[in-house]
Amino acid sequence: MNQMQQEKELTENILKVLKEQAADSILVLEGALKLNKDLYVHTIRTLDLLAMEPGMVNGETESSTAGLKISAEEIQCQVCYDLGAVYFQQGSTNAAVHENAKEKFFKTKELIAKNGSSSLHFTIDEERLAGYCQACGVLTSSSDDASQQATPYSQIHSCMKSGNYQDLVKIFLEDNLTLSLPVPFRQSVLRELFQKAQQGNDALDEVCFKVCVCNTVCDVLQGRTIDIQFCQLFLKPSKEKIDFLLEVCSRSINLENASEALKRKMAAFLKNLCLGLEDLQLVFMISSHELFIKLLKDDERKLLIDQMRKRSPRINLCTKPVTSFYDIPASASVNIGQLEHQLILSVDPWRIRQILIELHGMTSERQFWTISNKWEVPNVYGNVILGIKDNLTRDLVYILMAKGLHCCAIKDFVHAKQLFAACLELVTEFSPKLRQVMLNEMLLLDIYTHEAGAGVSGERPPSDLISRVRGYLEMRVPDIPLRQVIAEECVAFLLNWRENEYLTMQVPLPLVQTNPYVKLGQLLAATCKELPGPKESRRTAKDLWEVVVQICSVSNQHKRGNDGRVSLIKHRESTLGIMYRSELLSFIKKLREPLVLTTILSLFVKLHNVREDIVNDIAAEHISIWPSSIPNLQSVDFEAVAVTVKELVSYALTINANNHFWLIIQADIYFATNQYSAALHYYLQAGAVCSDFFNKMVPPDVYTDQVIKRMIKCCSLLNCHTQVAILCQFLREVDYKTAFKALQEQNSHDAMDSYYEYIWDVTILEYLTYLHHKRGETDKRQIAIKAIGQTELNASNPEEVLQLAAQRRKKKFLQAMAKLYF
């Protein structure tokens, strides 16, 4: 046996002996409690004397008082504690044993009180003893012990058992001043009450509310957040609930001795409570209460009243529950505030127009497009809109456009269309420039609407929409403010719906030269068109490569420092390319067409692999179409390229999580960054999606020798050496050297011999048999022999039988691996 097995068996033997002797040990301890005389233990002095004159130690015999004295009470104290602990552990199914434990623990407490807790001759954890006493007091049925009844825990337990909920609430209320009950205990009592109430005991609803209020006020005073249960119970407040809440608040704080911090917490709670109530009568109950008046200063109360009056119009300020300061007529400023509030909330264009007319009728000094900092229009539009001379028209155009853009951003396309249509109708009357702006925004809205609706299911957009997109790209109206995002979305739209012919052949040349997104779209479309063709015709692929390399290049500058040395400064965002790298990444993330995504992804993978010092190349589809070198290698920001590859793969997998080529790229990235478990996850996922979870054969272009070797390395570095040996069989030529080396490792973190059934190579199985025989591992050797002995692995079998045997084991092994790493 190895050391671990020896230790385990030794421990089990010790435990077995202890269990057998437990009853005798308890009898010995019980007998020890009957000893009433003090004991004396030998010391170094008495042992030395004993060695000098055995039998007679200067008249000090073994019955004398020589040595260290340990009193009978000290012995009894330790033995009572130990016996109590044993009985407590045994009493889970026997109440009588708990009674015995209780007796022993209480005896221990008495003896500690008598002898003091500083004795060197017993070792007792007094906090643990107190816990034992408390638990025994709750678990045992006897209630004659006055000291136990005095603890709040046993009182609460007794109240819960007897159904005396009135006293229960009283205990919680009194504890709000002392704060002796722990918060988890309070919460557990409330949870138990809620459970009983949900089982049909309606009478407990009021008790739940009262205990919840006590807990909430306790939380407020201790600076904790208010529980959601309190908010739910206060959804429908009543006079009785408010009365009880105010009573709890009053009894939970001693205003004469309370700190200022405690007073501010209570004041803030009552103030927020008022702001949350709609019924003004209930608000008046709180605001006129003695505690409220003492805690809040006059100016705070006045400010609160003003806040109540200016609240949302859902509060009916005309209701007169009592003759009070609320019965004040609304001023003009309140009416303006209410109208502004409605203006912020409304998305109905005609209601917005009506509110603005009312507001401008009340005051002509305000600019109402500024009342909400959430209303934003692009700067290119803002200058034109704010140049409108008529204040009402300017406010209306600005607000309609800002709300339309916001609705568009949150994908509320129905309201966005209504707002844009109203704005278009308005500006058509006086501004051709703004009319074209609105037509452009409505085109973008229609693109978003189709992509989020019918486009998701693959339905092709109507020809009218495609024509409008082309028309926008070819538009030549002077002095029209344009948003770059519209051109970006139009090009992405055409690529996603495979309008490669138009982008390649029909798009006007001046547009390609002036709009970077159109140029990029044209190169992508042309490259995708040429992919199936011969390598010689891939001129556009080279052009696209050069454009992307330039975007990913950094401009270098030399700067002379104070010490006269020349230092090289790299600017991460190059201005040499047709756009910034961040803009390119943003554009690619608008693409959904698999071929386009695969093309641009393979380009970045190739660019990532070009660096000479790269150890772990990443594989990708169509990678051979790109150039193999870059003239100025130092100019490329390879760190940015690596980040871009990761982001692109992550995005591509959100479009199609089952694309095995993209999954292999993701796996290669994790492999290159030493994240071997994650790499195995994606290698296995790539195989699973293209083989019906390994029920079919994984295509050889997916599990190439390179992929298998990387899986082997991952398993090896994860110390899963048996998996390494099995994967060595997957190679076109079995790698016996690696397999044998892996099997020699004894510190394997995988299932070892339970994997032998997946090995079909007889040579590996024979080596295993030899290895286990050499180590004396008989059981494992038998498993290996059993695996060799299967008739389907007989070398005399036809090739088809051997292949079927191998395929079946491959399938079962890969499925087992998938369950392990998925």
mmCIF file of all heavy atoms in Angstrom, residues 124-162:
data_model
loop_
_atom_site.group_PDB
_atom_site.id
_atom_site.type_symbol
_atom_site.label_atom_id
_atom_site.label_comp_id
_atom_site.label_asym_id
_atom_site.label_seq_id
_atom_site.Cartn_x
_atom_site.Cartn_y
_atom_site.Cartn_z
ATOM 1 N N ILE A 124 -11.471 24.456 29.123
ATOM 2 C CA ILE A 124 -12.879 24.533 28.699
ATOM 3 C C ILE A 124 -13.091 25.826 27.930
ATOM 4 O O ILE A 124 -12.712 26.913 28.401
ATOM 5 C CB ILE A 124 -13.817 24.455 29.926
ATOM 6 C CG1 ILE A 124 -13.752 23.046 30.540
ATOM 7 C CG2 ILE A 124 -15.253 24.802 29.537
ATOM 8 C CD1 ILE A 124 -14.371 22.936 31.895
ATOM 9 N N ASP A 125 -13.670 25.704 26.744
ATOM 10 C CA ASP A 125 -14.044 26.869 25.930
ATOM 11 C C ASP A 125 -15.378 27.405 26.463
ATOM 12 O O ASP A 125 -16.430 26.818 26.248
ATOM 13 C CB ASP A 125 -14.171 26.431 24.455
ATOM 14 C CG ASP A 125 -14.442 27.610 23.536
ATOM 15 O OD1 ASP A 125 -14.884 28.661 24.032
ATOM 16 O OD2 ASP A 125 -14.234 27.461 22.312
ATOM 17 N N GLU A 126 -15.303 28.525 27.185
ATOM 18 C CA GLU A 126 -16.499 29.017 27.864
ATOM 19 C C GLU A 126 -17.569 29.520 26.888
ATOM 20 O O GLU A 126 -18.763 29.412 27.162
ATOM 21 C CB GLU A 126 -16.118 30.121 28.855
ATOM 22 C CG GLU A 126 -15.330 29.579 30.050
ATOM 23 C CD GLU A 126 -15.214 30.579 31.177
ATOM 24 O OE1 GLU A 126 -16.252 31.065 31.642
ATOM 25 O OE2 GLU A 126 -14.066 30.888 31.563
ATOM 26 N N GLU A 127 -17.141 30.069 25.771
ATOM 27 C CA GLU A 127 -18.132 30.506 24.760
ATOM 28 C C GLU A 127 -18.878 29.302 24.201
ATOM 29 O O GLU A 127 -20.097 29.329 24.012
ATOM 30 C CB GLU A 127 -17.431 31.259 23.628
ATOM 31 C CG GLU A 127 -16.999 32.663 24.016
ATOM 32 C CD GLU A 127 -16.455 33.437 22.824
ATOM 33 O OE1 GLU A 127 -16.581 32.945 21.674
ATOM 34 O OE2 GLU A 127 -15.908 34.525 23.041
ATOM 35 N N ARG A 128 -18.122 28.228 23.960
ATOM 36 C CA ARG A 128 -18.750 26.999 23.448
ATOM 37 C C ARG A 128 -19.680 26.392 24.507
ATOM 38 O O ARG A 128 -20.763 25.908 24.193
ATOM 39 C CB ARG A 128 -17.659 26.002 23.054
ATOM 40 C CG ARG A 128 -18.142 24.829 22.228
ATOM 41 C CD ARG A 128 -16.965 23.984 21.773
ATOM 42 N NE ARG A 128 -17.416 22.880 20.956
ATOM 43 C CZ ARG A 128 -17.605 22.943 19.646
ATOM 44 N NH1 ARG A 128 -17.400 24.078 19.017
ATOM 45 N NH2 ARG A 128 -18.018 21.886 18.962
ATOM 46 N N LEU A 129 -19.249 26.451 25.779
ATOM 47 C CA LEU A 129 -20.077 25.941 26.872
ATOM 48 C C LEU A 129 -21.393 26.713 26.952
ATOM 49 O O LEU A 129 -22.466 26.117 27.126
ATOM 50 C CB LEU A 129 -19.303 26.044 28.187
ATOM 51 C CG LEU A 129 -20.072 25.660 29.466
ATOM 52 C CD1 LEU A 129 -20.485 24.189 29.413
ATOM 53 C CD2 LEU A 129 -19.241 25.935 30.708
ATOM 54 N N ALA A 130 -21.302 28.048 26.803
ATOM 55 C CA ALA A 130 -22.523 28.864 26.832
ATOM 56 C C ALA A 130 -23.451 28.478 25.691
ATOM 57 O O ALA A 130 -24.685 28.413 25.856
ATOM 58 C CB ALA A 130 -22.154 30.345 26.726
ATOM 59 N N GLY A 131 -22.867 28.190 24.533
ATOM 60 C CA GLY A 131 -23.678 27.754 23.382
ATOM 61 C C GLY A 131 -24.356 26.424 23.647
ATOM 62 O O GLY A 131 -25.541 26.235 23.334
ATOM 63 N N TYR A 132 -23.598 25.491 24.239
ATOM 64 C CA TYR A 132 -24.176 24.189 24.589
ATOM 65 C C TYR A 132 -25.347 24.355 25.566
ATOM 66 O O TYR A 132 -26.411 23.749 25.405
ATOM 67 C CB TYR A 132 -23.108 23.297 25.242
ATOM 68 C CG TYR A 132 -22.212 22.543 24.281
ATOM 69 C CD1 TYR A 132 -20.830 22.504 24.443
ATOM 70 C CD2 TYR A 132 -22.766 21.836 23.210
ATOM 71 C CE1 TYR A 132 -20.012 21.800 23.581
ATOM 72 C CE2 TYR A 132 -21.954 21.121 22.341
ATOM 73 C CZ TYR A 132 -20.583 21.098 22.528
ATOM 74 O OH TYR A 132 -19.785 20.394 21.668
ATOM 75 N N CYS A 133 -25.150 25.191 26.596
ATOM 76 C CA CYS A 133 -26.207 25.404 27.598
ATOM 77 C C CYS A 133 -27.457 25.993 26.957
ATOM 78 O O CYS A 133 -28.586 25.572 27.232
ATOM 79 C CB CYS A 133 -25.710 26.338 28.704
ATOM 80 S SG CYS A 133 -24.462 25.588 29.763
ATOM 81 N N GLN A 134 -27.220 26.960 26.099
ATOM 82 C CA GLN A 134 -28.351 27.608 25.405
ATOM 83 C C GLN A 134 -29.093 26.610 24.532
ATOM 84 O O GLN A 134 -30.323 26.542 24.541
ATOM 85 C CB GLN A 134 -27.790 28.749 24.552
ATOM 86 C CG GLN A 134 -28.848 29.613 23.920
ATOM 87 C CD GLN A 134 -28.185 30.749 23.167
ATOM 88 O OE1 GLN A 134 -27.516 31.568 23.762
ATOM 89 N NE2 GLN A 134 -28.366 30.785 21.864
ATOM 90 N N ALA A 135 -28.346 25.797 23.781
ATOM 91 C CA ALA A 135 -28.965 24.798 22.891
ATOM 92 C C ALA A 135 -29.746 23.765 23.704
ATOM 93 O O ALA A 135 -30.869 23.393 23.337
ATOM 94 C CB ALA A 135 -27.891 24.109 22.056
ATOM 95 N N CYS A 136 -29.169 23.316 24.803
ATOM 96 C CA CYS A 136 -29.858 22.323 25.634
ATOM 97 C C CYS A 136 -31.127 22.910 26.233
ATOM 98 O O CYS A 136 -32.148 22.230 26.347
ATOM 99 C CB CYS A 136 -28.929 21.837 26.752
ATOM 100 S SG CYS A 136 -27.615 20.753 26.161
ATOM 101 N N GLY A 137 -31.054 24.199 26.618
ATOM 102 C CA GLY A 137 -32.238 24.840 27.177
ATOM 103 C C GLY A 137 -33.383 24.905 26.194
ATOM 104 O O GLY A 137 -34.556 24.810 26.564
ATOM 105 N N VAL A 138 -33.037 25.084 24.888
ATOM 106 C CA VAL A 138 -34.066 25.145 23.846
ATOM 107 C C VAL A 138 -34.563 23.747 23.492
ATOM 108 O O VAL A 138 -35.759 23.504 23.320
ATOM 109 C CB VAL A 138 -33.513 25.861 22.589
ATOM 110 C CG1 VAL A 138 -34.489 25.752 21.432
ATOM 111 C CG2 VAL A 138 -33.236 27.323 22.898
ATOM 112 N N LEU A 139 -33.618 22.779 23.406
ATOM 113 C CA LEU A 139 -33.983 21.446 22.922
ATOM 114 C C LEU A 139 -34.724 20.614 23.960
ATOM 115 O O LEU A 139 -35.519 19.744 23.611
ATOM 116 C CB LEU A 139 -32.712 20.688 22.483
ATOM 117 C CG LEU A 139 -32.023 21.239 21.226
ATOM 118 C CD1 LEU A 139 -30.644 20.626 21.074
ATOM 119 C CD2 LEU A 139 -32.853 20.966 19.994
ATOM 120 N N THR A 140 -34.454 20.864 25.226
ATOM 121 C CA THR A 140 -35.136 20.073 26.266
ATOM 122 C C THR A 140 -36.469 20.717 26.614
ATOM 123 O O THR A 140 -36.625 21.930 26.524
ATOM 124 C CB THR A 140 -34.259 19.966 27.520
ATOM 125 O OG1 THR A 140 -33.882 21.276 27.925
ATOM 126 C CG2 THR A 140 -33.030 19.130 27.251
ATOM 127 N N SER A 141 -37.403 19.908 27.014
ATOM 128 C CA SER A 141 -38.774 20.381 27.231
ATOM 129 C C SER A 141 -38.978 21.002 28.600
ATOM 130 O O SER A 141 -39.960 21.680 28.835
ATOM 131 C CB SER A 141 -39.760 19.226 27.044
ATOM 132 O OG SER A 141 -39.418 18.172 27.922
ATOM 133 N N SER A 142 -38.062 20.754 29.543
ATOM 134 C CA SER A 142 -38.273 21.252 30.902
ATOM 135 C C SER A 142 -38.176 22.758 30.933
ATOM 136 O O SER A 142 -37.331 23.348 30.274
ATOM 137 C CB SER A 142 -37.231 20.648 31.837
ATOM 138 O OG SER A 142 -35.945 21.016 31.417
ATOM 139 N N SER A 143 -39.035 23.402 31.685
ATOM 140 C CA SER A 143 -39.069 24.861 31.726
ATOM 141 C C SER A 143 -38.990 25.377 33.157
ATOM 142 O O SER A 143 -39.468 26.449 33.459
ATOM 143 C CB SER A 143 -40.352 25.370 31.062
ATOM 144 O OG SER A 143 -41.468 24.817 31.707
ATOM 145 N N ASP A 144 -38.400 24.574 34.014
ATOM 146 C CA ASP A 144 -38.351 24.980 35.412
ATOM 147 C C ASP A 144 -37.098 25.788 35.740
ATOM 148 O O ASP A 144 -36.998 26.353 36.816
ATOM 149 C CB ASP A 144 -38.411 23.740 36.319
ATOM 150 C CG ASP A 144 -37.332 22.725 35.954
ATOM 151 O OD1 ASP A 144 -36.717 22.903 34.880
ATOM 152 O OD2 ASP A 144 -37.119 21.775 36.726
ATOM 153 N N ASP A 145 -36.175 25.843 34.823
ATOM 154 C CA ASP A 145 -34.929 26.543 35.081
ATOM 155 C C ASP A 145 -35.126 28.038 34.821
ATOM 156 O O ASP A 145 -35.271 28.472 33.694
ATOM 157 C CB ASP A 145 -33.820 25.979 34.174
ATOM 158 C CG ASP A 145 -32.453 26.431 34.645
ATOM 159 O OD1 ASP A 145 -32.361 27.526 35.207
ATOM 160 O OD2 ASP A 145 -31.495 25.664 34.452
ATOM 161 N N ALA A 146 -35.108 28.815 35.858
ATOM 162 C CA ALA A 146 -35.404 30.247 35.728
ATOM 163 C C ALA A 146 -34.344 30.966 34.914
ATOM 164 O O ALA A 146 -34.648 31.862 34.137
ATOM 165 C CB ALA A 146 -35.510 30.868 37.124
ATOM 166 N N SER A 147 -33.078 30.543 35.060
ATOM 167 C CA SER A 147 -32.013 31.219 34.313
ATOM 168 C C SER A 147 -32.157 31.011 32.825
ATOM 169 O O SER A 147 -31.895 31.908 32.027
ATOM 170 C CB SER A 147 -30.649 30.709 34.785
ATOM 171 O OG SER A 147 -30.503 29.349 34.454
ATOM 172 N N GLN A 148 -32.578 29.804 32.425
ATOM 173 C CA GLN A 148 -32.782 29.551 30.998
ATOM 174 C C GLN A 148 -33.968 30.333 30.464
ATOM 175 O O GLN A 148 -33.945 30.840 29.362
ATOM 176 C CB GLN A 148 -33.005 28.048 30.770
ATOM 177 C CG GLN A 148 -31.731 27.259 30.620
ATOM 178 C CD GLN A 148 -30.847 27.803 29.524
ATOM 179 O OE1 GLN A 148 -29.840 28.445 29.802
ATOM 180 N NE2 GLN A 148 -31.191 27.591 28.286
ATOM 181 N N GLN A 149 -35.039 30.391 31.249
ATOM 182 C CA GLN A 149 -36.227 31.130 30.790
ATOM 183 C C GLN A 149 -35.925 32.609 30.616
ATOM 184 O O GLN A 149 -36.599 33.304 29.893
ATOM 185 C CB GLN A 149 -37.372 30.939 31.797
ATOM 186 C CG GLN A 149 -38.196 29.686 31.562
ATOM 187 C CD GLN A 149 -38.896 29.719 30.226
ATOM 188 O OE1 GLN A 149 -39.536 30.690 29.877
ATOM 189 N NE2 GLN A 149 -38.766 28.651 29.463
ATOM 190 N N ALA A 150 -34.871 33.065 31.323
ATOM 191 C CA ALA A 150 -34.559 34.489 31.257
ATOM 192 C C ALA A 150 -33.921 34.885 29.943
ATOM 193 O O ALA A 150 -33.936 36.049 29.573
ATOM 194 C CB ALA A 150 -33.634 34.856 32.414
ATOM 195 N N THR A 151 -33.325 33.936 29.198
ATOM 196 C CA THR A 151 -32.673 34.295 27.936
ATOM 197 C C THR A 151 -33.722 34.535 26.852
ATOM 198 O O THR A 151 -34.709 33.792 26.766
ATOM 199 C CB THR A 151 -31.707 33.192 27.462
ATOM 200 O OG1 THR A 151 -32.469 32.027 27.180
ATOM 201 C CG2 THR A 151 -30.663 32.878 28.525
ATOM 202 N N PRO A 152 -33.528 35.563 26.008
ATOM 203 C CA PRO A 152 -34.521 35.851 24.961
ATOM 204 C C PRO A 152 -34.699 34.697 23.979
ATOM 205 O O PRO A 152 -35.787 34.475 23.453
ATOM 206 C CB PRO A 152 -33.958 37.079 24.244
ATOM 207 C CG PRO A 152 -32.776 37.525 24.995
ATOM 208 C CD PRO A 152 -32.431 36.510 26.025
ATOM 209 N N TYR A 153 -33.617 33.921 23.725
ATOM 210 C CA TYR A 153 -33.710 32.820 22.759
ATOM 211 C C TYR A 153 -34.738 31.784 23.213
ATOM 212 O O TYR A 153 -35.611 31.373 22.433
ATOM 213 C CB TYR A 153 -32.341 32.140 22.601
ATOM 214 C CG TYR A 153 -31.279 33.027 22.027
ATOM 215 C CD1 TYR A 153 -30.402 33.713 22.874
ATOM 216 C CD2 TYR A 153 -31.137 33.191 20.655
ATOM 217 C CE1 TYR A 153 -29.424 34.545 22.364
ATOM 218 C CE2 TYR A 153 -30.157 34.028 20.132
ATOM 219 C CZ TYR A 153 -29.307 34.690 21.006
ATOM 220 O OH TYR A 153 -28.352 35.498 20.487
ATOM 221 N N SER A 154 -34.616 31.371 24.493
ATOM 222 C CA SER A 154 -35.543 30.341 24.980
ATOM 223 C C SER A 154 -36.960 30.894 25.082
ATOM 224 O O SER A 154 -37.932 30.179 24.843
ATOM 225 C CB SER A 154 -35.067 29.810 26.333
ATOM 226 O OG SER A 154 -34.862 30.883 27.229
ATOM 227 N N GLN A 155 -37.083 32.198 25.410
ATOM 228 C CA GLN A 155 -38.414 32.818 25.470
ATOM 229 C C GLN A 155 -39.068 32.827 24.091
ATOM 230 O O GLN A 155 -40.247 32.506 23.944
ATOM 231 C CB GLN A 155 -38.298 34.244 26.022
ATOM 232 C CG GLN A 155 -37.970 34.313 27.500
ATOM 233 C CD GLN A 155 -37.768 35.740 27.979
ATOM 234 O OE1 GLN A 155 -37.819 36.679 27.190
ATOM 235 N NE2 GLN A 155 -37.521 35.897 29.271
ATOM 236 N N ILE A 156 -38.281 33.191 23.088
ATOM 237 C CA ILE A 156 -38.821 33.223 21.715
ATOM 238 C C ILE A 156 -39.198 31.822 21.266
ATOM 239 O O ILE A 156 -40.264 31.601 20.670
ATOM 240 C CB ILE A 156 -37.785 33.863 20.747
ATOM 241 C CG1 ILE A 156 -37.678 35.366 21.025
ATOM 242 C CG2 ILE A 156 -38.162 33.614 19.292
ATOM 243 C CD1 ILE A 156 -36.536 36.054 20.322
ATOM 244 N N HIS A 157 -38.331 30.852 21.580
ATOM 245 C CA HIS A 157 -38.620 29.464 21.220
ATOM 246 C C HIS A 157 -39.919 28.996 21.877
ATOM 247 O O HIS A 157 -40.772 28.359 21.237
ATOM 248 C CB HIS A 157 -37.445 28.572 21.653
ATOM 249 C CG HIS A 157 -37.618 27.132 21.283
ATOM 250 N ND1 HIS A 157 -37.468 26.674 19.990
ATOM 251 C CD2 HIS A 157 -37.945 26.053 22.036
ATOM 252 C CE1 HIS A 157 -37.691 25.365 19.958
ATOM 253 N NE2 HIS A 157 -37.979 24.967 21.197
ATOM 254 N N SER A 158 -40.074 29.349 23.145
ATOM 255 C CA SER A 158 -41.284 28.964 23.887
ATOM 256 C C SER A 158 -42.522 29.624 23.282
ATOM 257 O O SER A 158 -43.570 28.981 23.120
ATOM 258 C CB SER A 158 -41.117 29.358 25.357
ATOM 259 O OG SER A 158 -42.292 29.084 26.078
ATOM 260 N N CYS A 159 -42.396 30.908 22.930
ATOM 261 C CA CYS A 159 -43.527 31.639 22.318
ATOM 262 C C CYS A 159 -43.925 31.027 20.981
ATOM 263 O O CYS A 159 -45.109 30.898 20.666
ATOM 264 C CB CYS A 159 -43.172 33.116 22.127
ATOM 265 S SG CYS A 159 -43.070 34.054 23.652
ATOM 266 N N MET A 160 -42.935 30.645 20.183
ATOM 267 C CA MET A 160 -43.214 30.056 18.869
ATOM 268 C C MET A 160 -43.909 28.710 19.024
ATOM 269 O O MET A 160 -44.834 28.371 18.277
ATOM 270 C CB MET A 160 -41.918 29.878 18.079
ATOM 271 C CG MET A 160 -41.265 31.186 17.639
ATOM 272 S SD MET A 160 -42.149 32.048 16.336
ATOM 273 C CE MET A 160 -41.635 31.104 14.921
ATOM 274 N N LYS A 161 -43.467 27.918 20.022
ATOM 275 C CA LYS A 161 -44.075 26.593 20.223
ATOM 276 C C LYS A 161 -45.499 26.700 20.755
ATOM 277 O O LYS A 161 -46.386 25.944 20.357
ATOM 278 C CB LYS A 161 -43.208 25.780 21.199
ATOM 279 C CG LYS A 161 -41.947 25.212 20.562
ATOM 280 C CD LYS A 161 -41.124 24.419 21.552
ATOM 281 C CE LYS A 161 -41.723 23.059 21.806
ATOM 282 N NZ LYS A 161 -40.858 22.219 22.666
ATOM 283 N N SER A 162 -45.719 27.674 21.666
ATOM 284 C CA SER A 162 -47.049 27.792 22.296
ATOM 285 C C SER A 162 -48.004 28.676 21.509
ATOM 286 O O SER A 162 -49.200 28.712 21.802
ATOM 287 C CB SER A 162 -46.888 28.338 23.714
ATOM 288 O OG SER A 162 -46.306 29.640 23.668
#
